[in-house]
Structure formats: structure tokens, C-alpha cells
């Protein structure tokens, strides 16, 4: 079974803190994605990566950065957390072809106080 | 860029049918459909490709109208287990960014 794991299910941080969200997949997928999910807004793409050290901005990259040093790991970084970044963050991965489904991790519920 | 889904929410009785629509402003290469149950991660249902090829769930069907840049998901003889939020995801003909829709909440009641 494909497994995508995220470092935390729940996280509480203070405004201004630097936050790291980690995602690991075990199926040798080329593509990895970070989304945030908010009520009524669906899933919005923050960043994606199609190879090690490669990254592309999604719809809402402001306030976020990413790192992909190894194929199986994709990290999302909030440089200085703000209250409007309180959200559910979902990581996903897939094989390179657009024919392939995305597999999602369980999500991290981040609250910024 | 984000595809629009309709309806936003629907309530069905067991055995009834439902159609969920997904509409994009861009010419599309593929459409994906996912279901997310409450408190869980989204799970893949189906992919439809430009040209008519499909890959996915045996009990759920979908259509893809390339000219209208629209897709519809058909849920027939609904079961309680169909409850959840359904998302379409679209990959445009140009570029490689994938966009998910706003979601449709579907509730099946006994």
C-alpha cells in the first residue's frame, strides 16, 4: 500500500514562529504536493515538486517555502507564521504521469495563535 | 483557475441518484475525482483523459466534455457510504499545475 505520512496531526504555534511541516512517501513517487484546505474554498495548491530540488509555485505560495532534498521527503516551511495560516495542510504524492492519481497524507491541523 | 463545482451541497435518501458537476475556464487535459470522508484524507475515485480514456471506480461513472471544459460525476443508487465531500481536480492542456475544485458535500440519509 502507498503510504504518505505527515509529521504531526495537530500543531499549535504562535504568531511569528517558524514552522516546519514534513511529508514522507514510500512509493518512489516523482511528484509531491502541498495543499491547504479551508471550509468553502476546497483544496488550494501551495507548492508542488516534480523532482528532487525542483519546485513550482501553486496558487497561494505567499508566506510559504518548500524544500525537497530527497525524493521521498517534501517539507513545507512557514517562515513567520500568521493567524491567517491557521488551516488544514495536506500533502500528496503521485507518479510523474498526469494519468496517475494523487495519494494523500492524513493532514496536519495547524493553529496559529 | 480553480474549477467550479455544483451543487455545493446535496442531501439524498439511500437509493437515490446524484450528479456533481465540475466546470473549468481553461481547456483541460484531464479531470480527476476524489472523495473525502469527514476527518479523513481525500481518496481517488476516477481519472478522465482528453480523448475519452478513463481509469477508475467500477461503481461510479463520470463524463468529460472537452469542448465545454466540464465533467460530471454520476452516483447511482446511493449508499450511506457515499457520504462525503467530492472534489474534482483539473489539469489544463497547457502548464502542469493541478487545480482542485471547491468541493460538493454529499449526505446520504436512510
Amino acid at each position: 500500500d502507498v503510504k504518505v505520512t505527515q509529521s504531526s496531526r495537530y500543531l499549535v504555534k504562535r504568531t511569528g514562529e517558524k514552522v516546519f511541516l514534513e511529508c514522507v512517501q514510500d512509493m518512489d513517487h516523482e511528484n509531491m504536493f502541498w495543499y491547504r484546505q479551508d471550509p468553502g474554498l476546497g483544496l488550494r495548491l501551495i507548492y508542488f515538486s516534480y523532482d528532487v530540488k525542483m519546485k513550482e509555485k501553486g496558487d497561494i505560495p505567499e508566506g510559504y517555502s518548500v524544500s525537497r532534498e530527497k525524493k521521498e521527503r517534501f517539507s513545507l516551511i512557514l517562515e513567520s507564521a500568521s493567524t491567517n495560516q491557521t488551516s488544514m495542510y495536506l500533502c500528496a504524492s503521485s507518479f510523474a504521469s498526469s494519468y496517475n492519481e494523487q495519494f494523500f497524507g492524513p493532514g496536519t491541523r495547524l493553529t496559529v495563535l | 483557475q480553480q474549477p467550479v463545482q455544483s451543487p455545493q451541497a446535496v442531501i439524498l435518501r439511500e437509493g437515490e441518484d446524484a450528479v456533481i458537476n465540475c466546470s473549468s475556464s481553461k481547456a483541460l487535459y484531464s479531470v480527476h475525482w476524489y472523495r473525502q470522508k469527514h476527518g479523513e484524507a481525500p481518496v481517488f475515485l476516477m481519472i478522465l483523459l482528453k480523448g475519452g480514456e478513463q481509469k477508475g471506480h467500477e461503481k461510479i461513472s463520470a463524463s468529460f466534455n472537452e469542448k465545454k471544459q466540464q465533467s460530471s460525476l454520476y452516483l447511482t443508487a446511493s449508499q450511506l457510504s457515499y457520504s462525503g465531500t467530492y472534489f474534482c481536480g483539473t489539469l489544463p492542456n497547457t502548464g502542469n499545475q493541478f487545480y482542485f475544485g471547491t468541493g460538493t458535500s454529499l449526505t446520504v440519509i436512510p
Side-chain angles (χ1 to χ4, degrees):
Chain A
D1 272 356
V2 174
K3 198 166 182 182
V4 181
T5 57
Q6 295 183 228
S7 48
S8 307
R9 288 301 302 271
Y10 300 94
L11 208 53
V12 180
K13 294 292 182 180
R14 296 214 172 267
T15 301
E17 281 192 83
K18 191 169 186 175
V19 181
F20 293 87
L21 302 182
E22 300 278 324
C23 175
V24 179
Q25 50 93 5
D26 66 358
M27 276 301 291
D28 204 34
H29 285 165
E30 291 85 10
N31 295 342
M32 295 190 75
F33 308 83
W34 274 107
Y35 297 93
R36 66 176 280 177
Q37 183 173 20
D38 301 288
L41 298 178
L43 295 161
R44 292 181 293 166
L45 183 64
I46 304 171
Y47 270 96
F48 67 103
S49 169
Y50 51 87
D51 201 353
V52 175
K53 296 192 186 293
M54 305 300 289
K55 62 184 179 184
E56 287 203 26
K57 293 180 180 179
D59 267 348
I60 50 165
E62 297 78 19
Y64 303 95
S65 62
V66 290
S67 172
R68 192 163 180 204
E69 296 296 319
K70 293 185 178 181
K71 190 175 186 179
E72 68 270 18
R73 188 180 297 269
F74 193 34
S75 303
L76 181 69
I77 303 150
L78 287 67
E79 297 290 341
S80 177
S82 64
T83 54
N84 63 12
Q85 292 178 310
T86 291
S87 186
M88 171 66 83
Y89 290 87
L90 289 163
C91 174
S93 69
S94 73
F95 286 115
S97 166
S98 59
Y99 191 71
N100 290 290
E101 65 201 82
Q102 293 184 28
F103 293 87
F104 283 84
T108 295
R109 171 75 64 187
L110 173 67
T111 302
V112 183
L113 301 175
Chain B
Q1 312 281 29
Q2 189 176 27
V4 176
Q5 289 183 231
S6 63
Q8 289 187 335
V10 58
I11 300 175
L12 302 172
R13 292 200 178 276
E14 268 187 296
E16 290 183 335
D17 301 339
V19 180
I20 299 172
N21 300 302
C22 174
S23 181
S24 173
S25 59
K26 287 178 166 269
L28 299 176
Y29 178 78
S30 68
V31 179
H32 298 207
W33 286 97
Y34 291 77
R35 176 171 62 209
Q36 183 179 30
K37 299 202 172 187
H38 183 69
E40 298 180 9
V43 173
F44 164 78
L45 294 175
M46 174 167 286
I47 292 175
L48 301 103
L49 293 184
K50 185 177 174 179
E53 192 174 357
Q54 295 186 27
K55 169 187 168 186
H57 206 288
E58 289 182 0
K59 295 187 179 181
I60 294 174
S61 63
S63 64
F64 179 21
N65 187 323
E66 296 165 39
K67 287 184 180 177
K68 291 187 176 180
Q69 297 154 194
Q70 293 176 345
S71 177
S72 295
L73 186 72
Y74 304 98
L75 300 153
T76 56
S78 57
Q79 305 169 16
L80 295 176
S81 62
Y82 285 10
S83 293
T85 301
Y86 289 77
F87 292 99
C88 68
T90 57
L91 186 67
N93 275 341
T94 56
N96 56 0
Q97 183 167 333
F98 192 82
Y99 298 91
F100 273 103
T102 49
T104 295
S105 172
L106 186 138
T107 304
V108 181
I109 57 175

